[in-house]
Amino acid sequence: MNTKLGRDEMVVDPGELNKHLPSYRLYNTSATSATLFRGIKMISGELKNQIDRIWDAFWSGGISNPLEVIEQITYLLFLRRLDDLHTLEENKSVRLKRPMERRIFPEGKDEEGCPYENMRWSRFKNFQPAEMFTVVDRHVFPFLRTLGGDNSTYAHHMKDARFTIPTPALLAKVVDLLDDIPMENRDTKGDLYEYMLSKIATAGQNGQFRTPRHIIRLMVELTSPQPKDIICDPACGTAGFLVCAGEYLREHYPNILHDEKLKQHFHHGMFHGFDFDNVMLRIGSMNMLLHGVENPDIRYRDSLAQENASDEEAYTLVLANPPFAGSLDYENTAKDLLQIVKTKKTELLFVALFLRLLKPGGRAAVIVPDGVLFGSTKAHKELRRILVEEQKLDAVVSLPGGVFKPYAGVSTANLSQKSMLTQKLPIATIKSVLSVELENPLRRTMTGKLW
């Protein structure tokens, strides 16, 4: 590896990089070149147009908040899924000539006298708009809130579900448009939902926003998820990192669902995502559901809070894009995190959190603002010292400016690291950070002093 001038500077020839990081593949990419990433599937123009028509229907019907649109579509997709599962149970019962083992929609009527059969997607989609609106508003949503639906993680987040479609005409139009979309294929379902999520053009109140899919793919490729990994995103939002990790495993380990133990682990023990925004929890768990993960651990949690401090060394892989801003309850922040970095900056606390969550030998790829690399406060310097001297920091990938627009204009970098089995590196301390700048073309590298 070529070194040049100053003790703390390092210039790297990209052609030589694989000698030093043999397990990594570098991508010559920009914010628009998602097609360079192997495994990213694209939906057809016709399907995109169908989604656009649904979006336009909501807009003209009086719902313009993208998160609310996604939430209402998610509820309706869930109802359609419940009906499909119930139909499968009915067909199984007929074939085996046995009573249904598991009824999602009970026999009989609810407290207000509405037959549960009328709450099925395949039934109410044929009703007149006024009757459909009454059934969905007064019967279907109360039923879902109390029953918990299909036992999936998504069902557990239905207790706060609100039906906000304002008119029978809008409901009927959206149900008709959704009914025309093919949802039989897992890839199609997942890609359709990803396309819908790409329309979220506003950041959440606490700094959440959607990470571009090709950036997620790069981070997943860098960390190479394994079939026995336990993967966590402590600020999961729409669960994009967990979804991409699942797709990577299906692609690279096609037999993972043929082994019963690995299959159980994949559906019930591998994926863990936390957020304290209930809307995001519903959207994220539905995203996982539509990508074929039956019961991921997606739940409400303030990852930085003291009551969650016991979750130590629990995961082998952390993938995250934590919020760079937002409010922080400093008094309730986990004491062990403040011992590592005494600060109110959430980005520093989240990096400390990642170190706590990882098992010895675990890996992480996380997005941080440039301030983490170049900030001059005592907390910034101490965190960088820990990353380099006590952990195995593999690389810092500098992302192009504007990657996260329109959500945020802050410059960012991707940290790739491994948690060390020992407290100290068994080699001489490296006081410069490799920074590969992703531009078109990949043409230069740069470094900065750490402390």
Side-chain angles (χ1 to χ4, degrees):
M1 184 175 288
N2 295 327
T3 59
K4 175 183 176 182
L5 301 174
R7 185 183 59 188
D8 292 308
E9 294 184 356
M10 181 184 297
V11 177
V12 181
D13 177 0
E16 297 180 23
L17 197 56
N18 284 337
K19 297 177 184 176
H20 307 281
L21 299 173
S23 62
Y24 291 89
R25 283 178 287 169
L26 294 180
Y27 295 88
N28 178 12
T29 183
S30 70
T32 58
S33 57
T35 53
L36 296 179
F37 286 79
R38 181 167 53 86
I40 290 184
K41 303 169 286 298
M42 304 300 287
I43 60 174
S44 69
E46 182 182 349
L47 287 176
K48 281 187 177 182
N49 289 337
Q50 287 178 272
I51 297 297
D52 291 340
R53 285 198 295 273
I54 294 172
W55 214 265
D56 292 341
F58 274 102
W59 185 270
S60 60
I63 299 181
S64 57
N65 182 348
L67 282 177
E68 187 176 358
V69 173
I70 282 283
E71 191 175 26
Q72 296 303 305
I73 291 175
T74 300
Y75 293 150
L76 294 174
L77 289 174
F78 186 58
L79 287 172
R80 183 172 170 182
R81 169 187 160 82
L82 290 181
D83 186 45
D84 290 343
L85 291 175
H86 193 93
T87 301
L88 285 174
E89 288 291 330
E90 286 179 329
N91 294 340
K92 180 180 174 183
S93 173
V94 170
R95 285 198 307 271
L96 299 178
K97 297 180 181 179
R98 292 195 309 221
M100 288 179 64
E101 294 178 2
R102 178 168 159 259
R103 296 187 67 92
I104 293 173
F105 296 91
E107 296 176 308
K109 302 179 180 181
D110 68 5
E111 293 178 354
E112 296 189 25
C114 177
Y116 286 107
E117 277 291 305
N118 288 353
M119 300 181 198
R120 297 178 60 178
W121 177 276
S122 57
R123 303 290 193 273
F124 70 67
K125 74 176 184 180
N126 298 313
F127 292 171
Q128 291 298 312
E131 184 182 3
M132 182 194 301
F133 189 84
T134 300
V135 168
V136 173
D137 185 25
R138 294 178 53 185
H139 303 285
V140 173
F141 269 70
F143 165 72
L144 290 180
R145 282 194 290 264
T146 56
L147 188 68
D150 64 346
N151 259 350
S152 68
T153 300
Y154 179 75
H156 301 318
H157 300 303
M158 285 296 290
K159 63 180 184 299
D160 299 320
R162 295 179 305 113
F163 179 67
T164 61
I165 294 178
T167 64
L170 177 57
L171 175 62
K173 186 173 184 179
V174 171
V175 167
D176 286 344
L177 289 170
L178 283 176
D179 197 56
D180 290 337
I181 293 177
M183 300 292 283
E184 295 78 23
N185 183 277
R186 180 188 62 83
D187 289 339
T188 302
K189 286 191 296 189
D191 290 346
L192 282 172
Y193 203 66
E194 283 284 323
Y195 178 64
M196 283 191 252
L197 292 178
S198 72
K199 289 178 170 286
I200 299 177
T202 54
Q205 291 183 348
N206 291 296
Q208 326 98 302
F209 45 81
R210 183 175 179 273
T211 310
R213 192 176 179 187
H214 56 292
I215 301 297
I216 293 176
R217 182 72 185 186
L218 169 62
M219 294 168 67
V220 170
E221 292 268 5
L222 287 174
T223 52
S224 302
Q226 303 296 309
K228 294 183 179 180
D229 267 332
I230 304 172
I231 306 172
C232 179
D233 181 351
C236 67
T238 62
F241 285 100
L242 301 180
V243 163
C244 191
E247 296 297 293
Y248 177 93
L249 286 163
R250 288 177 185 270
E251 178 185 329
H252 289 79
Y253 302 93
N255 295 323
I256 188 172
L257 298 181
H258 298 166
D259 182 293
E260 188 58 35
K261 285 186 178 179
L262 292 179
K263 180 181 177 181
Q264 279 293 109
H265 179 62
F266 182 86
H267 285 302
H268 302 281
M270 177 177 284
F271 301 102
H272 303 263
F274 312 125
D275 209 298
F276 51 66
D277 185 329
N278 282 314
V279 175
M280 288 294 177
L281 288 171
R282 281 192 282 271
I283 292 172
S285 50
M286 175 55 74
N287 199 11
M288 294 292 283
L289 200 62
L290 293 177
H291 280 86
V293 182
E294 292 176 2
N295 196 26
D297 176 26
I298 307 287
R299 54 193 156 100
Y300 186 94
R301 173 189 281 191
D302 180 353
S303 294
L304 298 178
Q306 176 63 35
E307 60 262 28
N308 300 314
S310 60
D311 203 2
E312 186 174 354
E313 295 188 0
Y315 308 102
T316 60
L317 176 59
V318 170
L319 297 162
N321 180 9
F324 302 159
S327 58
L328 174 69
D329 183 357
Y330 187 76
E331 299 301 320
N332 192 39
T333 303
K335 300 300 183 286
D336 60 336
L337 296 183
L338 294 176
Q339 287 175 356
I340 299 174
V341 279
K342 192 169 181 60
T343 180
K344 291 185 179 181
K345 290 187 174 293
T346 54
E347 63 267 29
L348 299 184
L349 290 169
F350 265 104
V351 175
L353 172 70
F354 303 146
L355 299 179
R356 187 185 76 190
L357 293 176
L358 284 174
K359 291 175 179 286
R363 296 107 61 218
V366 299
I367 293 173
V368 296
D370 276 353
V372 172
L373 302 180
F374 305 113
S376 58
T377 69
K378 182 178 179 181
H380 284 90
K381 292 178 179 179
E382 175 61 13
L383 188 62
R384 291 197 293 268
R385 186 198 65 77
I386 291 171
L387 286 173
V388 172
E389 290 192 354
E390 298 181 9
Q391 309 295 324
K392 185 175 183 293
L393 181 63
D394 285 327
V396 177
V397 181
S398 179
L399 302 178
V403 164
F404 295 109
K405 288 183 178 178
Y407 314 108
V410 62
S411 296
T412 55
N414 169 255
L415 300 182
S416 179
Q417 68 165 69
K418 292 181 183 177
S419 179
M420 294 300 293
L421 292 169
T422 60
Q423 285 298 303
K424 296 289 182 180
L425 281 171
I427 57 175
T429 301
I430 301 171
K431 287 194 177 181
S432 55
V433 175
L434 170 65
S435 176
V436 181
E437 185 147 337
L438 293 180
E439 296 181 10
N440 262 334
L442 178 65
R443 64 171 183 255
R444 69 188 180 96
T445 58
M446 57 184 292
T447 61
K449 291 184 68 172
L450 289 176
W451 63 87

